[in-house]
Amino acid sequence: MADYDAIVVGAGLSGSTAAYCMAKAGLSVLVVERGDAAGTKNVTGGRLYAHSLEKIIPGFADEAPVERKVVRERISMVTDESCFTADFSSSRFQNPASASYTVLRAEFDPWLAGKAEEAGCDVVCPAVADELLRENGKITGIKAGDDELTAEVVLLADGVNSLLAQKAGLKKELSPHHVAVGAKEVVELSSGIINDRFNLNEGEGLAQLFAGSPSRGMVGGGFLYTNKTSLCVGLVVTVAHMAKSPDRLPDMLESFRQSAALKPLLEGGKIIEYSAHLVPEGGIHMIPTLSADNVLVLGDAAGFCLNLGFTVRGMDYAIGSGALAAETVIEAKQKGDFSNAVLCGYQTRLENSFVMQDMRTHKNAPDFIEHTPRMFKEYPELVENIFADMFTVSGPSKLMLKKALPYVRKAGLLNLMLDGFKGSRAL
Amino acid sequence: MKKIAVCYKWVLSDTDIRVDEKTRSLNMEKCKYQVNEYDRNGLECGVQIKKASGRELVGITLGKDTASSAKDALSRGLDSVFYLDDAALADIDKIGAAKALAGMIKKVGDVDVVICSEASSDDFAQQTGPRIAALLGWPSVSYATKVEVNGDSFTLERKLDDGIECVSVAAPLVITISPEVGEAPIPGVKDILGAKKKPANALAIGDTGLSADALKPASAIVSVLAPETSRKRQRMNPDGVSLDQAAAALVKELSQAGIL
Ligand SMILES: Cc1cc2nc3c(=O)[nH]c(=O)nc-3n(C[C@H](O)[C@H](O)[C@H](O)COP(=O)(O)OP(=O)(O)OC[C@H]3O[C@@H](n4cnc5c(N)ncnc54)[C@H](O)[C@@H]3O)c2cc1C
C-alpha cells in the first residue's frame, strides 16, 4: 500500500489549495516544499483576486493575513519626461466575491499551508522532490533526498519551471517567448504615510500599473501595490526581449524606482526585500499535458497565468486549478482508480471553469502583446505629447484636434485603429 | 537504559534581524525561532554516541516558545524531548539556565552523558556546559572535536590553542562540543514525518527541584546595540580621474595607513 493517497509537490497557492481540499475530504496527503517554509520561494506582484479562494474558504479575508483591500486602481503611461495617470476608485470593489487584496506571500502562503496542515495534511519543508518514482513505468511517488515516498497520485504544483512535469514527459522545456522575468522590491513605509500618500482609508489599498519607460519600451511594465506597512514595486519583462536587450533587470528596477513617476511615492521608504522570479505568460499556448496516469499538473506549472500587457494574474488560477485537481483526486479515490481514465476529468473540470475559459478568452493576448511593441513605447509617447500640449500655454492656442493630429499621425492612425481593434479582441 | 541528554537552545535566527540606523537597536520582530546551529552538531554527536553505545537519546531545552521546538529537534535523531516552556523564564540568565537544565537532567533520570555545544548563536556566552557539569558534580570536557565511546569509557579530543589534547574519561560526564565534531545532516522527509510520532514532554519549573525565585536572573542585560562601523568614505576617483591615478592614490593611502 502507498504511504499516502496523494503527494503534492510545492506549497504555493495551487499546491496548498489542492492539499487542503483533499484532506478536508478525508484523503491522506503529503505536501513537500523546497523552501524553509511555505512562501519563502514564491514571488508575486501583489494582487489576489479573491473569488476562487472565497468559494473554498468563504470569508477567508477575515482570518487570512491579507494586506489591504484594493479600492483604487491607477494606470500610468510613462515616458522619460512625463507621466499620465488614470485613477479609478469605486465602492463596487467592496463586494467579497469580486474583491481583490494585496498579499505578501511570505505571510499568506504559510497561512494557507497551515490550513492544509490543520485539515490533516503532512506538510514538510524544506524538502525537495528530486525525482518521480516509477514502478513498471507507473508513477508511484517521489524521491526526496534519500527518502522514497509513495502515493496513488502525485500533484505537480511546483511552479513555472516545473522540472518534474518535464521529467514526467508532460511538458517541454520553457520557451523564452512563453515566460517573462519579474523583479520586485518591498519598500517599507508607515501605514499613515501610505494612507495619506495614496488617498486611502485604513485597510484600503491601491494597485498601480505603469506602461512605457519602466520596461524601456520592451513588452512588460511596472507595478506598485500598497501593503499594510510597505509597498511592492516591480517590473515584469518578457524573457525573449530581455535576452536581446543590453539592459539588466536590476538596473531597470533601480531606474524605475528613481523615476519621476515613482520616486515621490517611495520617499522616505526603506527597501527591505528584493526578489525575482519567472512568470508564465504563454497562456493557452504553453499549457502542458495536464493529466496522465497517477499525475496531475496545476498552477504555474500548468501555465495557468495571464499577462495582459501590464498586469500579471496567476494566483486565482493557481487556487482554482488546485481545487479542481483536488475534486478529481477525490473522485479517483472513491472509484479506486487513479489512472488517467478518471484523472482526465481534471481537464473537463478546467474547461468548464473560469481557468480554462479565461485562457481561451485571452488566447490571442500573448501574440498580440508580443507583436505590438507600440503599446509599450509609441502609445505612451503619444499620450505624453497630447497631454503635454493640452496643458502647455506658450503663445496662441490651437484646437484640440490640431494639437493631437500630428502625434497621432506619427504613431500611425492605421496602427492605432488596428491595434485598438485587435487589442480589444485579445486582452 | 542509560541516557544521553543533549541540551539545545531555541534561538531567534539572525537572518532577519533589522538594525535601526539611528538608534542602532535591533528589531527582531521578523526573526523566527530555530535550533541553535551549534547545537545541531551536538545533536548529531548524540546520535553517533547512541549508535555506538545503545544509549537512549533525549533532547532538553528551556525558554520561551520551546514547546514549538520539539518537532524540529525530534527530526534530528532524538528519541524524545523534554522542554520547560514558561514565560517566567523569559529573562533567565546563564546561571539560572544551567541550574534549570541540571534540574531537568535529574528529573529525566538515568542520564550519564550530557552534551552541550560550545555556545549559542545569540549570546555566545560559552558557559552552559561547564556550569551544568559543576552543578551535577561530573567531569567536564570542553571544546571536544572527536568523541569515541566504549561502554562507559570515553576518549575525546579537545582542540586547544597550542594543539590537540586527548583525554579519557568515564561516564557520567558533560561534553561541550565544537562544531568540528561532526557535520549535522539536514533532516530528511521521513525524519521530519517521524518526529511527529515521538514523545515531547512538558516539564514545569517545579520539576527542576527549584523555585521560580531561585531561577531569577542575577544579572540583567542593559542594552543590545549593533556595532558601529565607521568608514572613511573617501573616494579615490572623484570627478572621474583615470583608473591608474585612482589606483596610485589608493596604494599611497593604504601604505600611509600601514596596511600595505
Ligand atoms: C513579479 C511577479 C508578479 C506577479 N504578480 C501577480 C499578481 O499581482 N497577481 C496574480 O494573481 N499573480 C501574479 N503573479 C503570478 C503568481 O505569482 C503565480 O501565478 C502564482 O504564484 C502561482 O502559484 P503556484 O502555487 O502555481 O506556484 P508557486 O507560487 O511558484 O509555487 C510553487 C512552489 O513549489 C515549490 N517547489 C518547486 N519545485 C519543487 C520541488 N522539486 N520540490 C518541492 N517543492 C518545490 C516552490 O518552492 C514553490 O513554493 C506574479 C508573478 C511574478 C513573478
Side-chain angles (χ1 to χ4, degrees):
Chain A
M1 228 195 70
D3 299 331
Y4 292 91
D5 290 324
I7 292 177
V8 180
V9 182
L13 298 184
S14 57
S16 288
T17 302
Y20 171 80
C21 296
M22 290 188 292
K24 277 264 165 189
L27 274 64
S28 64
V29 182
L30 168 68
V31 184
V32 291
E33 164 56 47
R34 186 175 55 148
D36 283 339
T40 53
K41 297 265 182 193
N42 312 66
V43 182
T44 201
R47 178 214 295 256
L48 170 68
Y49 286 99
H51 67 114
S52 55
L53 191 53
E54 190 62 33
K55 285 203 196 88
I56 302 162
I57 308 176
F60 78 90
D62 296 333
E63 63 166 300
V66 296
E67 294 293 312
R68 288 168 182 259
K69 182 184 247 178
V70 179
V71 299
R72 182 174 290 277
E73 308 276 352
R74 284 186 187 162
I75 296 183
S76 297
M77 300 273 211
V78 193
T79 63
D80 288 337
E81 288 174 316
S82 316
C83 174
F84 169 88
T85 299
D87 184 316
F88 180 66
S89 57
S90 169
S91 58
R92 291 197 197 181
F93 295 141
Q94 296 293 346
N95 176 3
S98 56
S100 70
Y101 299 91
T102 53
V103 294
L104 289 167
R105 299 289 293 273
E107 314 275 335
F108 195 78
D109 288 28
W111 169 79
L112 194 57
K115 294 295 280 185
E117 208 164 7
E118 259 172 48
C121 299
D122 283 333
V123 180
V124 176
C125 32
V128 183
D130 301 303
E131 301 285 344
L132 289 167
L133 285 182
R134 282 178 191 271
E135 214 170 278
N136 304 325
K138 181 181 145 192
I139 292 173
T140 55
I142 57 160
K143 190 155 192 281
D146 295 333
D147 291 326
E148 296 192 342
L149 297 132
T150 58
E152 302 291 352
V153 58
V154 178
L155 280 69
L156 301 178
D158 49 347
V160 50
N161 194 18
S162 175
L163 298 177
L164 291 183
Q166 282 178 37
K167 286 182 182 169
L170 303 172
K171 192 175 173 173
K172 289 203 268 312
E173 179 94 52
L174 287 174
S175 143
H177 295 276
H178 287 164
V179 279
V181 53
K184 85 160 189 185
E185 283 166 352
V186 181
V187 178
E188 191 176 54
L189 274 176
S190 77
S191 76
I193 291 182
I194 293 174
N195 294 347
D196 290 349
R197 203 169 278 179
F198 297 96
N199 200 358
L200 300 165
N201 293 315
E202 202 57 39
E204 290 180 352
L206 159 138
Q208 186 165 0
L209 304 170
F210 299 83
S213 57
S215 67
R216 308 224 169 135
M218 289 184 273
V219 171
F223 58 80
L224 178 152
Y225 294 102
T226 56
N227 303 313
K228 280 188 184 128
T229 56
S230 63
L231 307 174
C232 285
V233 292
L235 279 177
V236 175
V237 185
T238 299
V239 166
H241 288 206
M242 203 65 222
K244 284 192 216 126
S245 153
D247 297 312
R248 290 175 57 244
L249 196 59
D251 300 339
M252 288 170 63
L253 184 51
E254 173 77 24
S255 6
F256 178 39
R257 207 168 5 83
Q258 300 294 341
S259 67
L262 202 52
K263 198 171 178 195
L265 301 177
L266 306 181
E267 185 61 39
K270 188 176 166 195
I271 301 169
I272 53 172
E273 204 182 293
Y274 176 89
S275 55
H277 206 276
L278 289 177
V279 190
E281 57 168 12
I284 200 148
H285 310 287
M286 72 182 293
I287 291 177
T289 307
L290 294 166
S291 75
D293 292 343
N294 313 91
V295 66
L296 294 175
V297 190
L298 30 155
D300 267 13
F304 295 143
C305 191
L306 280 180
N307 180 357
L308 300 181
F310 320 115
T311 157
V312 178
R313 201 180 131 196
M315 289 193 281
D316 57 324
Y317 297 123
I319 291 166
S321 63
L324 296 175
E327 251 180 49
T328 313
V329 174
I330 294 163
E331 189 200 31
K333 168 82 180 171
Q334 281 160 357
K335 295 193 168 150
D337 179 1
F338 291 87
S339 75
N340 200 32
V342 177
L343 292 188
C344 71
Y346 174 49
Q347 305 191 31
T348 324
R349 286 184 171 88
L350 285 165
E351 288 291 349
N352 294 329
S353 77
F354 75 101
V355 179
M356 216 48 152
Q357 279 161 11
D358 282 7
M359 297 298 138
R360 291 210 185 284
T361 305
H362 297 290
K363 67 175 188 296
N364 295 326
D367 190 59
F368 172 75
I369 290 163
E370 192 172 349
H371 295 106
T372 317
R374 288 180 289 271
M375 256 173 74
F376 305 92
K377 183 160 179 359
E378 278 82 358
Y379 296 161
E381 283 170 1
L382 170 69
V383 172
E384 167 187 25
N385 286 329
I386 292 175
F387 281 86
D389 274 12
M390 190 176 347
F391 295 108
T392 308
V393 174
S394 55
S397 187
K398 274 197 248 166
L399 283 175
M400 254 324 283
L401 184 67
K402 279 211 167 145
K403 287 184 181 174
L405 214 51
Y407 300 122
V408 174
R409 282 215 188 92
K410 189 171 160 228
L413 188 56
L414 195 62
N415 278 341
L416 249 176
M417 281 164 50
L418 276 177
D419 290 346
F421 179 67
K422 279 201 248 163
S424 58
R425 285 168 52 116
L427 301 182
Chain B
M1 201 195 299
K2 291 282 184 199
K3 292 176 193 148
I4 312 156
V6 182
C7 301
Y8 70 88
K9 189 169 179 183
W10 192 229
V11 295
L12 285 173
S13 125
D14 51 17
T15 40
D16 290 313
I17 297 180
R18 287 169 46 207
V19 178
D20 184 312
E21 275 152 29
K22 286 195 202 95
T23 61
R24 289 198 283 132
S25 61
L26 305 187
N27 178 343
M28 317 280 274
E29 255 170 46
K30 296 257 155 141
C31 301
K32 295 191 183 70
Y33 277 101
Q34 62 179 25
V35 172
N36 170 34
E37 299 219 11
Y38 304 96
D39 289 335
R40 298 177 197 179
N41 302 97
L43 288 161
E44 176 57 15
C45 178
V47 168
Q48 297 307 329
I49 298 177
K50 172 184 163 161
K51 269 192 199 156
S53 72
R55 285 176 169 81
E56 190 182 325
L57 185 61
V58 304
I60 293 192
T61 189
L62 64 85
K64 195 164 170 253
D65 276 349
T66 44
S68 51
S69 75
K71 222 175 101 184
D72 185 330
L74 286 168
S75 72
R76 298 173 192 275
L78 294 171
D79 295 314
S80 64
V81 154
F82 292 83
Y83 62 87
L84 175 48
D85 186 348
D86 191 314
L89 304 179
D91 303 316
I92 198 163
D93 64 5
K94 305 301 159 232
I95 305 171
K99 281 186 194 164
L101 287 167
M104 290 171 78
I105 289 163
K106 284 186 203 151
K107 172 76 187 173
V108 168
D110 287 333
V111 174
D112 72 340
V113 183
V114 174
I115 299 173
C116 291
S117 69
E118 203 170 284
S120 60
S121 60
D122 52 355
D123 301 336
F124 216 86
Q126 298 180 284
Q127 300 183 8
T128 309
R131 278 188 187 279
I132 292 175
L135 289 163
L136 294 173
W138 296 356
S140 161
V141 183
S142 55
Y143 302 105
T145 51
K146 198 169 171 191
V147 180
E148 273 168 17
V149 53
N150 189 354
D152 279 348
S153 57
F154 284 75
T155 315
L156 305 105
E157 285 184 6
R158 308 179 62 214
K159 197 169 85 181
L160 304 177
D161 283 346
D162 50 358
I164 290 171
E165 185 181 61
C166 209
V167 290
S168 298
V169 200
L173 81 165
V174 177
I175 307 170
T176 312
I177 56 103
S178 292
E180 295 94 310
V181 78
E183 210 172 301
I186 296 167
V189 177
K190 288 200 170 154
D191 299 322
I192 296 173
L193 291 170
K196 284 190 180 174
K197 298 180 191 113
K198 295 180 184 174
N201 311 289
L203 295 184
I205 291 183
D207 291 319
T208 62
L210 297 160
S211 65
D213 262 359
L215 297 174
K216 278 233 170 81
S219 58
I221 294 170
V222 179
S223 78
V224 177
L225 295 176
E228 232 165 339
T229 41
S230 58
R231 301 192 196 284
K232 289 191 169 170
R233 293 171 184 271
Q234 225 165 305
R235 285 183 61 188
M236 291 300 147
N237 63 339
D239 318 318
V241 300
S242 79
L243 208 57
D244 284 347
Q245 276 172 299
L250 178 62
V251 168
K252 192 170 155 214
E253 190 72 33
L254 291 174
S255 347
Q256 271 171 5
I259 295 166
L260 281 186

